[in-house]
Amino acid sequence: MSLSATTAPPSPAAPPSPGVSSRRNRGRLLNRLDVKYSPYLYIAPFFLIFGIFGLYPMLRTAWMSLHDWDMIGEHSFIGFDNYTRLVSDEYFWNALYNTVGIFVLSTIPQLLLALFLANLLNRTFLRAKTFFRMAIFMPNVVSVAAVAIVFGMLFQREFGLFNWLLSLVGVDPVDWDGQRWSSWFAISSMVNWRWTGYNTLILLAGMQAIPKDLYEAAEIDGASPWRQFWQITLPMLKPTFIFVVILSTIGGMQLFTEPLLFANGNILGGNQREFQTLAMYMYEMGIENLNTAGYGAAVAWAIFMIIVVVSLINFLLVRRSAK
């Protein structure tokens, strides 16, 4: 008798019980929901915090700028009168002039020096790279108050180090906080010392992301280090450099702590407002003068729009020059 004649046909598989089937469907549903909605839950804390501490204050400030508002809470709607007042406010234009001047003196040298230091730290022949990277970032860790105290002593009229050095070459002592150009130079040197290392590390990270094969191929073709920098490093570093430029623009146009401490807490920025910035003027109008909080809010929104315009101009200039 053959084996096939004695073997019984296989019995059909038993259908899954209703409980197992419902658990499988529930698992598939939860899996689809997890894939579809869980990313939104992961980023929800950021938007929640931004909405409370970022978006709401911006909208609240915009609403205040349309009112004659005081810090007591009394207000009346006046439309765009606060913004019309800005156009004819000489103190506002003086603060804008000071802000732009300090911004130019601090941002341009700062970015050029950061680019040079980042390229130097990216070289293969340099030893103790970790030490130098930590050392160059140390000024950013130091307290702003400590920085202001040290630089205030350096720029003292009678016993400051810089005036002593100038006296060695026959130059009369400079009243650093009594003149516009000298106060700009002192504040910008403080900003440069504090933020150059921060920008250097960002640019260095962008340089290290550039493929090494490009440099090796360029070296084989006989390209000098200077030509490699212009033909490879700068074009490949363009996105990172644009980010640093915009970040520096935002910080430079909101400059507040350094000039305030340099003025020893004088919100006017000198006796004749020689170095009062936009942020200091906003604080003066919105906080110190209790009856002009609405006007201070208008100054705040003017700063925001100026930052947007200047950042866009810098973005276009850097993008065009890097082509």
Side-chain angles (χ1 to χ4, degrees), residues 3-321:
L3 183 62
S4 60
T6 60
T7 305
S11 59
S17 62
V20 175
S21 178
S22 63
R23 284 196 297 270
R24 289 179 180 176
N25 293 333
R26 192 183 304 114
R28 295 192 188 98
L29 178 61
L30 291 176
N31 185 51
R32 286 197 298 268
L33 292 176
D34 179 63
V35 173
K36 188 174 182 179
Y37 296 107
S38 61
Y40 298 99
L41 294 177
Y42 297 147
I43 63 175
F46 164 77
F47 287 101
L48 181 62
I49 295 175
F50 173 76
I52 297 174
F53 298 102
L55 183 60
Y56 173 74
M58 289 179 61
L59 298 178
R60 179 71 171 179
T61 304
W63 177 250
M64 289 177 60
S65 68
L66 302 177
H67 292 75
D68 183 11
W69 199 297
D70 57 39
M71 297 302 292
I72 301 176
E74 299 179 357
H75 58 275
S76 58
F77 185 80
I78 58 174
F80 293 95
D81 289 353
N82 284 326
Y83 295 96
T84 305
R85 177 183 170 185
L86 280 177
V87 179
S88 59
D89 187 356
E90 61 176 343
Y91 291 150
F92 171 78
W93 291 107
N94 174 74
L96 177 60
Y97 181 65
N98 291 334
T99 303
V100 174
I102 298 174
F103 167 74
V104 172
L105 288 178
S106 60
T107 302
I108 295 178
Q110 178 186 145
L111 294 179
L112 294 177
L113 183 58
L115 187 62
F116 169 76
L117 293 175
N119 187 57
L120 183 63
L121 292 175
N122 195 40
R123 294 294 181 179
T124 56
F125 61 81
L126 186 66
R127 296 185 178 182
K129 292 182 179 180
T130 303
F131 169 77
F132 287 111
R133 292 170 186 172
M134 292 177 59
I136 206 170
F137 187 71
M138 286 302 296
N140 190 256
V141 181
V142 179
S143 170
V144 185
V147 175
I149 292 173
V150 172
F151 274 82
M153 296 175 62
L154 293 176
F155 286 104
Q156 280 185 351
R157 175 178 174 83
E158 300 299 332
F159 305 102
L161 176 62
F162 290 109
N163 277 341
W164 177 75
L165 293 175
L166 291 176
S167 66
L168 297 180
V169 294
V171 179
D172 295 333
V174 177
D175 188 8
W176 294 100
D177 59 351
Q179 303 177 33
R180 189 183 298 272
W181 69 268
S182 58
S183 59
W184 285 5
F185 178 81
I187 295 171
S188 62
S189 64
M190 191 187 313
V191 175
N192 289 333
W193 184 84
R194 189 162 183 261
W195 290 103
T196 298
Y198 178 82
N199 292 325
T200 298
L201 293 184
I202 296 179
L203 294 174
L204 178 60
M207 289 181 181
Q208 291 182 338
I210 301 175
K212 303 299 181 183
D213 299 343
L214 298 177
Y215 294 102
E216 294 176 359
E219 190 174 355
I220 292 174
D221 291 339
S224 62
W226 183 250
R227 187 173 181 83
Q228 293 178 27
F229 176 78
W230 281 104
Q231 298 296 329
I232 299 176
T233 304
L234 278 184
M236 299 292 292
L237 195 64
K238 181 176 68 174
T240 306
F241 193 74
I242 290 176
F243 170 76
V244 171
V245 168
I246 294 177
L247 201 66
S248 300
T249 300
I250 295 173
M253 299 304 295
Q254 292 180 332
L255 197 62
F256 177 78
T257 308
E258 287 85 351
L260 181 64
L261 293 177
F262 184 74
N264 296 320
N266 182 11
I267 198 65
L268 299 180
N271 296 329
Q272 302 296 326
R273 300 178 184 262
E274 293 90 350
F275 53 94
Q276 185 185 46
T277 62
L278 283 173
M280 295 170 69
Y281 186 61
M282 177 194 67
Y283 186 89
E284 178 190 358
M285 292 291 103
I287 304 298
E288 287 206 342
N289 296 337
L290 300 180
N291 298 325
T292 59
Y295 185 67
V299 176
W301 265 92
I303 295 174
F304 173 74
M305 297 306 299
I306 291 171
I307 290 175
V308 172
V309 172
V310 175
S311 299
L312 182 60
I313 293 174
N314 285 338
F315 171 77
L316 295 176
L317 291 177
V318 173
R319 187 177 181 182
R320 176 172 295 182
S321 62

